[in-house]
Amino acid sequence: MQFRYAMVYVCVTFVVLLFLNIYCSGTSQMLFYHSKEASMVEKCQLTAAEIASLEALNTSNISEAVGKMESLRATRLLITDPGGMVLYDSYSADSSLGSYALLPEIVQALEGVSGNDVFSWQYQDGVMQSRVATPIVAYGNIIGCLYMMEYDAEQGGVIRSLQLNIFTITLILEIAVIVFSVMFATAFSTRLRRVLASIRIIRSGDYSHRVAMGGNDELTVLGDEFNQLTERLQISENKRRQFVSDASHELKTPLASIKLLTDSILQNDMDQATVREFVSDIGNEADRLNRMTQKLLSLSHIESQEDGDCEIIYMRPTIDKVVRMLTGLANQNEITITADCQQDCPILILEDDLYQIIFNLVENGIKYNVPGGKLTIRTFREEDNAVLQVSDTGMGIPEDAQPHVFERFYRVDKARSRSSGGSGLGLAIVRSMVERNQGSITLASVPGQGTTFLVTFPVFDPEEDVQ
């Protein structure tokens, strides 16, 4: 494809250079034409003035006058009377004395009352032939015509040499254009084929492949963008594989428990109380599966959902609603909840998202607290940000585990998480919702003392925005 474009470019360039060659050749000839016309017309007029001063216009007088003109150099000189009959011919080998010279230049020069200066020019085979005719005028009357012709091989050679130089330069330029076009097309095609080959490799599933373009042009930028895209694809693929692996592992555990419990019921003779206990355990595992699938669906919905209709709300009403919902769970775990929302700020957010964020953080603070512990919820303003702080006095999170707590299915204490019904998805859902609403979430934890989550949203003050 690129060679096709290169050939089109070469053809267009060739046509342009050809027209340029023709134009330059024509221009050079025109320059010589005007120069020759001016000199010959002037010389012919001077000679005609000398001839007009003769007492009688006859062959002997004209020959004598012409003989005295040493500077007069012409290949052939004709002098006629007003009717066009030749009175003098410098070309003795084929003298036309007494005959009529019906040359176009002579005819045009004798036309009209005062006559005309006529010049014609022809270049052929490296020789320039110039012809000029002017009327001989005495006392306002035309008494004859002077015709002069020159063969100039020297200036013809100059024109020929100039045209040859122009043709040579044009040919060299055309060869250079062809070579450059072929080289450019080859290099471009090679690099483009490299990109296409990389696309095929990526399409086959090898997201670790990178294309090395080199250079500093648009294809290099394309290669860099391609590498960044494949890097993101590789990261997404790794996350997808990790998610599938984690989800499979997490779903396998309750399914294995259900399978084990049902096999035990079917293979063993049990009393009614034992069967009821096993069935209760199966129900708990089923509930756990249901919670896990609901959270997976919720997380998938958050990541695929576009921004909804946000509204300007304060956090305090939502906090109060969450506290009322989780008071029963807190009482079961002997946890005291304290809400300090004296400094509350308006934020632009989906109310359902804010409820889910607060609910998950408070629920985690209750589940992973210690009996008799405390849970504190605060809101305050920090410059142009509204901050939600949820602190507990629980077991804390080890330092090496803190960077991973927002990952899917990650659990610090897997045994306790399973016993408390945790799936390792709650904080991943929280982070996705926070980021979807232009917020950020961080944590600070000291093992054995507790954990603090800080959720930050931009303050949305309608009065300031209007101003």
Side-chain angles (χ1 to χ4, degrees), residues 43 48 73 98 115 202 263 288 305 344 400 421 453:
K43 182 166 63 172
R73 296 176 183 177
I202 296 299
D263 288 345
R288 182 179 166 199
Q305 187 182 30
D344 198 4
D400 59 343
F453 287 93

Side-chain angles (χ1 to χ4, degrees), residues 7 19 23 37 47 50 58 77 136 151 172 176 207 226 230 245 253 255 293 351 361 398 410 438 440 462:
M7 290 303 102
F19 278 107
Y23 173 77
E37 179 185 20
T47 304
E50 290 291 333
N58 53 49
L77 180 66
I136 302 172
Y151 283 97
I172 293 173
Y207 298 115
F226 177 82
T230 54
S245 175
T253 302
L255 288 174
T293 53
E351 184 176 6
L361 292 178
Y410 185 82
Q438 292 76 49
S440 62

Side-chain angles (χ1 to χ4, degrees), residues 189-355:
S189 298
T190 301
R191 300 174 71 196
L192 190 59
R193 284 195 297 270
R194 195 180 306 164
V195 174
L196 294 176
S198 299
I199 291 174
R200 296 188 186 98
I201 293 173
I202 296 299
R203 187 173 58 190
S204 66
D206 183 7
Y207 298 115
S208 62
H209 178 75
R210 299 291 182 272
V211 58
M213 295 302 298
N216 188 25
D217 55 6
E218 289 79 3
L219 282 179
T220 305
V221 177
L222 177 63
D224 294 339
E225 293 293 332
F226 177 82
N227 289 336
Q228 293 179 15
L229 176 61
T230 54
E231 183 176 356
R232 294 185 63 182
L233 286 174
Q234 185 178 14
I235 293 173
S236 298
E237 178 64 14
N238 292 338
K239 288 184 177 180
R240 185 189 67 81
R241 291 178 179 176
Q242 185 64 39
F243 173 77
V244 172
S245 175
D246 293 342
S248 300
H249 177 75
E250 294 297 329
L251 293 173
K252 181 176 65 176
T253 302
L255 288 174
S257 299
I258 292 174
K259 175 65 174 174
L260 179 62
L261 291 168
T262 54
D263 288 345
S264 298
I265 293 173
L266 294 174
Q267 296 174 6
N268 299 293
D269 293 330
M270 300 179 180
D271 55 27
Q272 190 67 24
T274 305
V275 171
R276 188 178 297 276
E277 181 182 353
F278 274 41
V279 172
S280 177
D281 291 339
I282 291 174
N284 292 335
E285 293 297 329
D287 290 340
R288 182 179 166 199
L289 276 174
N290 185 57
R291 288 194 300 270
M292 191 179 302
T293 53
Q294 287 297 328
K295 288 187 176 181
L296 285 173
L297 290 174
S298 177
L299 187 59
S300 176
H301 179 71
I302 292 169
E303 293 179 347
S304 62
Q305 187 182 30
E306 297 182 357
D307 294 342
D309 295 329
C310 298
E311 51 187 321
I312 303 171
I313 59 175
Y314 286 85
M315 289 187 281
R316 178 61 186 267
T318 307
I319 292 173
D320 292 340
K321 187 188 300 183
V322 170
V323 171
R324 287 195 302 270
M325 288 294 296
L326 294 174
T327 297
L329 180 62
N331 293 334
Q332 288 179 1
N333 291 271
E334 301 178 4
I335 305 299
T336 302
I337 301 178
T338 303
D340 179 10
C341 303
Q342 297 299 322
Q343 189 179 7
D344 198 4
C345 306
I347 58 175
L348 185 65
I349 193 173
L350 290 169
E351 184 176 6
D352 290 341
D353 285 359
L354 180 60
Y355 178 85

Side-chain angles (χ1 to χ4, degrees), residues 7 18 37 49 92 121 146 155 164 208 210 217 292 295 310 342 349 361 376 387 398 414 416 418 450 452 461:
M7 290 303 102
L18 179 63
E37 179 185 20
S92 58
W121 181 81
L146 188 147
Q155 287 194 359
L164 181 61
S208 62
R210 299 291 182 272
D217 55 6
M292 191 179 302
K295 288 187 176 181
C310 298
Q342 297 299 322
I349 193 173
L361 292 178
T376 304
V387 182
K414 296 185 179 181
R416 180 166 180 179
R418 289 195 176 98
T452 298
D461 194 335

Side-chain angles (χ1 to χ4, degrees), residues 2 6 178-190 217:
Q2 298 305 321
I178 293 174
V179 172
F180 173 78
S181 299
V182 172
M183 291 176 60
F184 174 79
T186 302
F188 185 86
S189 298
T190 301
D217 55 6

